[in-house]
Amino acid sequence: MMMTQSPATLSVSPGERATLSCRASQSVSSNLAWYQHKPGQAPRLLIFGASTRATGVPDRFSGSGSGTEFTLTISSLQSEDFAVYYCQQYTFWPPRFGQGTKVEIK
Amino acid sequence: EVQVLESGGGLVQPGGSLRLSCEASGFTFSNYGMTWVRQVPGKGLEWVSVISRSGGDTYYADSVKGRFTISRDNSKNTLYLQMNTLRAEDTAIYYCAKGGSSSYVFDSWGQGTLVTVSS
């Protein structure tokens, strides 16, 4: 069971839209979560169930997809959004994370 | 406010042991599964182990099975990870995470504690 994220790095200007992809090697239905991780900080749950925002997550973050193809969209990047983003499946044991997409300032 | 705070990391020689702790607050600890996740510096996240609400069920990644033991003390709101026979490849930041809608959705994390295995 592999999770593959693309691109590895995404260079985006503040205010622009960012689209991150995550592909599962087998169908995980909608059992897909997205996390945001900044250096030296605790990872933060953004999305679970492929499209449900976690408590307190701004609505500029949205998740979509099912089966093997998933997308995290940040509609208008804010300065605090520059971070590494991980997808994670929880259909198959063990739960597995993708390798991450780093969103950096262009 | 939900908080989890890890402690116990440090430098240990290969073959040595270390016990990590994670103190939880702001929620009813005994109602949630708890997990350890690690991150090798500069690399991605790796799930390590999970424990059920009561502590009766535990599961481990193949990479740590037989060497690590997860446990919890619900009276102290504390999660533990006993790490034995440590290897250089166990060097990582270890995060404690609270289970959410599923024990495998991690809705609150600590800032981590660094474990370095080196001679």
Side-chain angles (χ1 to χ4, degrees):
Chain A
M1 178 65 229
M2 296 296 294
M3 305 299 294
T4 304
Q5 292 185 240
S6 61
T9 303
L10 187 60
S11 298
V12 186
S13 299
E16 289 189 340
R17 183 186 196 91
T19 302
L20 289 67
S21 295
C22 175
R23 175 176 292 178
S25 59
Q26 303 174 61
S27 174
V28 298
S29 185
S30 294
N31 296 320
L32 192 287
W34 290 95
Y35 301 87
Q36 177 191 68
H37 193 197
K38 299 178 185 179
Q41 295 189 20
R44 176 193 183 192
L45 174 67
L46 298 175
I47 301 284
F48 62 95
S51 60
T52 302
R53 274 189 298 276
T55 302
V57 175
D59 60 7
R60 65 179 181 272
F61 291 92
S62 62
S64 63
S66 65
T68 61
E69 300 284 343
F70 300 89
T71 300
L72 176 70
T73 302
I74 312 171
S75 60
S76 176
L77 269 156
Q78 306 299 302
S79 57
E80 61 267 29
D81 300 335
F82 292 97
V84 179
Y85 293 83
Y86 294 95
C87 63
Q88 176 232 329
Q89 69 82 20
Y90 50 98
T91 289
F92 297 99
W93 191 91
R96 196 175 296 276
F97 296 88
Q99 80 278 20
T101 290
K102 181 180 181 180
V103 177
E104 63 176 24
I105 300 174
K106 186 175 183 180
Chain B
E1 179 190 4
V2 172
Q3 287 192 324
V4 292
L5 180 63
E6 305 92 339
S7 62
L11 174 63
V12 61
Q13 293 189 338
S17 297
L18 210 58
R19 189 176 85 154
L20 306 183
S21 298
C22 170
E23 191 170 334
S25 61
F27 65 101
T28 304
F29 183 68
S30 58
N31 284 355
Y32 295 92
M34 297 293 294
T35 284
W36 289 98
V37 174
R38 68 185 181 184
Q39 182 180 35
V40 173
K43 302 295 185 182
L45 300 170
E46 178 189 16
W47 175 84
V48 173
S49 182
V50 65
I51 188 167
S52 63
R53 292 173 290 178
S54 67
D57 294 305
T58 58
Y59 300 95
Y60 300 91
D62 288 345
S63 57
V64 307
K65 196 177 298 181
R67 300 187 299 121
F68 289 12
T69 302
I70 191 172
S71 62
R72 65 192 295 162
D73 186 337
N74 286 345
S75 69
K76 295 182 178 178
N77 291 346
T78 302
L79 174 73
Y80 302 100
L81 186 68
Q82 177 68 42
M83 304 185 295
N84 298 331
T85 319
L86 282 160
R87 305 167 180 167
E89 55 264 36
D90 295 318
T91 294
I93 300 170
Y94 284 75
Y95 296 98
C96 163
K98 169 185 168 288
S101 56
S102 155
S103 287
Y104 295 106
V105 174
F106 313 123
D107 65 5
S108 294
W109 299 60
Q111 293 196 329
T113 186
L114 176 62
V115 172
T116 303
V117 184
S118 174
S119 55

